[in-house]
């Protein structure tokens, strides 16, 4: 258990061979390994995953890899923030023992062509519909990482709720001994969901973006007060559509595990999920609004 302990040194691993050997070494000593995959530009949301992994497992390995195959927008990929030195400091600060920082060739070889993935509605709607090919790339990299690392448990944020459901499906099908742990979404003090992309928001856009969490909390309260969830959702959608700073992709109400639609009497948990571009920056948020 390394929770609360600041690491005094950290291993930086660049190749699949090195990361496999590092994990095998831990396993040969009877230690469990928790794995936190990231795309870097780490913030307190990532830190919470590293801490959760440290509470659960003996050693924590963090990967930092901006995965080209999950971007369907070249400008989003080329503008993705990169802060490797600060990332290493944050991982050490939260007790991580090693960081896997491979290059694209190490993970993909000569071609970044990836297979199509069909997990039903999970790979058809919402993020999948708005970012064609996105989950093909996510599954390709997460599957490669799971094969390379072979951890005991892997930690993902509920911030990317649909990604978490996709990864759980991948693990059930292809990595049955691996435990996937979902961790709560972490917000900034003003309510905005923490995201590596937030640094790209102008002051004006960041201000405007607060309407996303405000909308989710409004939906939760309105439903708790007896409002019809679908009417509440319609009203909130109209409100976002009217805002000139917000380019809404979707606002919906779905089951947190399988993304099936809400119907009266069906047991939850149900989440309001929202994605919008604010000042050109794509932001995601969600909140459990029905128990
Ligand atoms: P990313 O680096 O954006 O690919 O995210 C790496 C992991 O951190 C994913 O499992 C995300 O869901 C998680 N994550 C990102 N932001 C947050 C947040 N605000 N709260 C909790 N987890 C997060």
């Amino acid at each position: 258990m390394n929770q609360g302990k600041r690491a005094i040194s950290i291993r930086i691993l660049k190749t699949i061979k090195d990361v496999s050997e590092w994990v095998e070494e831990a396993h040969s000593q009877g230690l469990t390994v928790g794995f936190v995959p990231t795309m870097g530009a780490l913030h307190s949301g990532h830190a919470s995953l590293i801490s959760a992994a440290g509470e659960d497992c003996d050693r924590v390995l963090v990967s930092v890899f901006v995965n080209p195959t999950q971007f369907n927008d070249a400008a989003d990929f080329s503008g993705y923030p990169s802060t490797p030195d600060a990332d290493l400091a944050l991982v050490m600060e939260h007790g991580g023992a090693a960081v896997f920082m491979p290059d694209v060739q190490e993970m993909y070889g000569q071609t970044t062509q990836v297979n199509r993935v069909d997990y039903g509605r999970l790979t058809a709607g919402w993020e999948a519909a708005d970012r064609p090919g996105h989950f093909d790339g996510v599954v390709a990299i997460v599957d490669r990482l799971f094969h390379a690392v072979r951890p005991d448990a892997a930690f993902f944020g509920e911030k990317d709720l649909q990604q978490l459901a996709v990864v759980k499906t991948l693990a059930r099908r292809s990595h049955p001994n691996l435990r996937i742990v979902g961790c709560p979404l972490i917000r900034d003090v003003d309510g905005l969901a923490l995201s590596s992309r937030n640094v790209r928001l102008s002051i004006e856009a960041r201000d405007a973006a607060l309407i996303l969490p405000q909308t989710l909390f409004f939906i939760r309260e309105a439903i708790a007060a007896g409002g019809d969830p679908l009417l509440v959702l319609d009203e909130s959608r109209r409100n976002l559509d009217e805002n000139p700073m917000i380019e809404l992709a979707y606002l919906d109400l779905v089951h947190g595990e399988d993304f099936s639609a809400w119907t009266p009497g069906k047991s939850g948990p149900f989440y309001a999920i929202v994605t919008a571009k604010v000042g050109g920056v794509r932001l995601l948020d969600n909140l459990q609004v029905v128990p």
Side-chain angles (χ1 to χ4, degrees):
M1 304 283 171
N2 56 5
Q3 162 75 347
K5 282 191 210 154
R6 193 182 192 288
I8 45 169
S9 70
I10 195 159
R11 277 294 300 278
I12 299 174
L13 306 159
K14 297 273 190 190
T15 65
I16 290 172
K17 181 171 175 288
D18 285 350
V19 80
S20 303
E21 285 175 3
W22 186 86
V23 174
E24 269 169 32
E25 169 70 22
H27 281 159
S28 72
Q29 294 173 34
L31 302 172
T32 56
V33 174
F35 178 42
V36 181
T38 81
M39 296 206 298
L42 302 182
H43 50 65
S44 304
H46 299 109
S48 74
L49 303 187
I50 299 168
S51 297
E55 274 183 39
D56 189 302
C57 298
D58 301 309
R59 293 280 182 274
V60 177
L61 171 78
V62 178
S63 66
V64 173
F65 179 68
V66 184
N67 175 34
T69 65
Q70 72 186 69
F71 287 83
N72 61 325
D73 175 346
D76 189 26
F77 176 55
S78 59
Y80 201 83
S82 170
T83 56
D85 293 340
D87 291 350
L88 288 174
L90 182 140
V91 173
M92 282 177 73
E93 181 75 34
H94 292 85
V99 176
F100 181 39
M101 292 174 144
D103 63 19
V104 173
Q105 162 120 13
E106 182 68 11
M107 295 315 296
Y108 285 104
Q110 293 309 321
T111 168
T112 49
Q113 202 72 30
V114 298
N115 293 332
R116 283 239 42 212
V117 177
D118 182 358
Y119 294 167
R121 71 171 83 84
L122 284 181
T123 49
W126 308 285
E127 285 303 281
D130 202 47
R131 303 181 74 185
H134 172 64
F135 286 122
D136 300 340
V138 168
V139 167
I141 191 61
V142 172
D143 191 43
R144 282 166 166 77
L145 287 169
F146 285 171
H147 277 297
V149 175
R150 300 193 176 278
D152 298 276
F155 298 77
F156 289 82
E158 290 172 358
K159 155 93 180 346
D160 299 281
L161 197 64
Q162 191 175 354
Q163 171 176 276
L164 175 60
V166 166
V167 168
K168 281 182 175 169
T169 307
L170 167 69
R172 260 197 315 276
R173 293 184 181 198
S174 305
H175 305 270
N177 297 325
L178 172 59
R179 201 157 43 87
I180 304 297
V181 182
C183 301
L185 184 156
I186 305 296
R187 298 182 180 282
D188 217 330
V189 281
D190 57 8
L192 189 67
L194 289 178
S195 164
S196 303
R197 290 187 177 87
N198 289 356
V199 296
R200 283 161 48 187
L201 291 166
S202 65
I203 292 172
E204 193 192 16
R206 200 185 179 297
D207 231 34
L210 293 180
I211 196 173
L212 300 179
Q214 285 161 359
T215 299
L216 298 177
F217 283 96
F218 164 78
I219 293 170
R220 188 173 76 177
E221 277 167 33
I223 293 174
D228 178 310
L230 297 182
L231 295 181
V232 171
L233 221 65
D234 277 347
E235 181 191 341
S236 301
R237 226 178 257 130
R238 273 197 304 277
N239 191 36
L240 289 175
D241 276 335
E242 279 166 12
N243 188 317
M245 290 288 291
I246 305 290
E247 200 185 311
L248 182 65
Y250 58 81
L251 170 66
D252 216 343
L253 180 60
V254 297
H255 195 286
E257 288 294 326
D258 62 6
F259 278 56
S260 56
W262 176 84
T263 49
K266 191 165 155 186
S267 60
F270 287 96
Y271 288 74
I273 56 173
V274 67
T275 289
K277 273 193 178 165
V278 187
V281 182
R282 200 168 180 283
L283 300 177
L284 268 81
D285 203 344
N286 69 76
L287 186 71
Q288 187 181 337
V289 295
V290 181

